[in-house]
Amino acid sequence: ELKVKIAYLDERLVFEVMAGICIGLLILGFFSDTVAKAAGLTPTQAVGLGLAALLASYSVSGWRIARIWRRRQNCYLGWYGERYVAEWLEPAKLQGWRIFHDVPFESEGKKFNIDHIAVCLGGVVAVETKTRRKGNARQGRKDSEVYFNGRALDWPWGEDTHGLDQAEWNAQWLTEWIRAEIGEQVHVAPVLALPGWWLENKSNQGSRA
């Protein structure tokens, strides 16, 4: 899914660059000729007005391109993290595991994907991958370490439970889906993968870990 989004955003980038150039040149010609004649401007004033309009057009185009580029960077980071985890899971196949990646499902009309599903004789594991950039660390914290305190992930910049909640939801949903499909209760264990991060478990007994 992320690979498809990256390809789509690449096409958007090419379109925005070409459209920005063409529209900018059209605006330059329009203001330098049509508007200049209508307003009775001198050639110098006409060129200045055209360049100002061109700059405004390129500013808008540049903002649109930058926004698409940021989306592409985020999608690529997510795709790279999922690929890293997929390669890390690959050796498990030698132990008899069945590994499935980027598995599509639908719940209440909404489509979603489970990043990785690992199946063995002992049960099923649903792996959710979250790849985040380092940086913006608080004083006294390393920008590569994340702590699990039993209820949330304590990142260098603050706490959140988004990844944990999603991993648990995926596992619960997959448990119900398997039961509905084969009529048996199979436990699905949730796993949250954080590629590129050093994770330290600081949870107490009875935590979500």
Side-chain angles (χ1 to χ4, degrees):
E1 182 181 4
L2 287 175
K3 196 67 174 178
V4 174
K5 288 182 179 180
I6 292 171
Y8 167 74
L9 292 173
D10 283 341
E11 293 177 357
R12 285 284 308 278
L13 282 172
V14 173
F15 173 79
E16 289 291 343
V17 170
M18 298 304 297
I21 293 174
C22 293
I23 292 174
L25 293 176
L26 289 174
I27 289 176
L28 177 61
F30 176 76
F31 274 85
S32 298
D33 185 20
T34 306
V35 175
K37 291 180 178 178
L41 301 177
T42 65
T44 302
Q45 291 174 329
V47 171
L49 180 61
L51 290 176
L54 179 65
L55 180 61
S57 173
Y58 281 173
S59 296
V60 174
S61 179
W63 174 79
R64 290 172 59 88
I65 291 171
R67 186 177 62 173
I68 296 172
W69 178 251
R70 285 193 297 270
R71 286 178 59 192
R72 187 194 185 281
Q73 285 182 310
N74 291 335
C75 287
Y76 182 82
L77 181 65
W79 171 80
Y80 184 84
E82 290 183 13
R83 180 179 176 182
Y84 178 88
V85 174
E87 292 177 354
W88 187 84
L89 290 171
E90 196 67 18
K93 292 182 178 180
L94 300 177
Q95 307 299 322
W97 289 63
R98 296 290 302 275
I99 310 295
F100 305 91
H101 306 292
D102 203 20
V103 185
F105 292 102
E106 184 172 339
S107 176
E108 299 179 351
K110 182 179 180 181
K111 296 181 179 180
F112 69 98
N113 290 53
I114 296 180
D115 294 336
H116 316 277
I117 298 176
V119 183
C120 68
L121 293 177
V124 179
V125 178
V127 183
E128 175 65 25
T129 301
K130 293 298 181 187
T131 313
R132 292 194 171 185
R133 293 182 177 85
K134 299 177 177 63
N136 300 322
R138 293 170 289 178
Q139 187 174 4
R141 289 290 303 272
K142 295 182 179 180
D143 66 356
S144 59
E145 293 182 347
V146 57
Y147 304 141
F148 177 62
N149 60 22
R151 60 177 180 79
L153 290 174
D154 184 8
W155 301 90
W157 53 82
E159 292 186 2
D160 74 50
T161 63
H162 174 67
L164 295 169
D165 293 339
Q166 187 171 352
E168 290 185 351
W169 186 90
N170 286 347
Q172 293 171 4
W173 189 91
L174 187 58
T175 297
E176 294 300 319
W177 183 83
I178 294 174
R179 184 184 60 79
E181 290 293 319
I182 66 175
E184 295 184 13
Q185 189 73 17
V186 177
H187 174 67
V188 179
V191 171
L192 177 62
L194 306 174
W197 287 86
W198 179 269
L199 177 64
E200 186 172 344
N201 192 342
K202 293 189 174 183
S203 62
N204 298 320
Q205 186 176 1
S207 69
R208 298 171 64 173

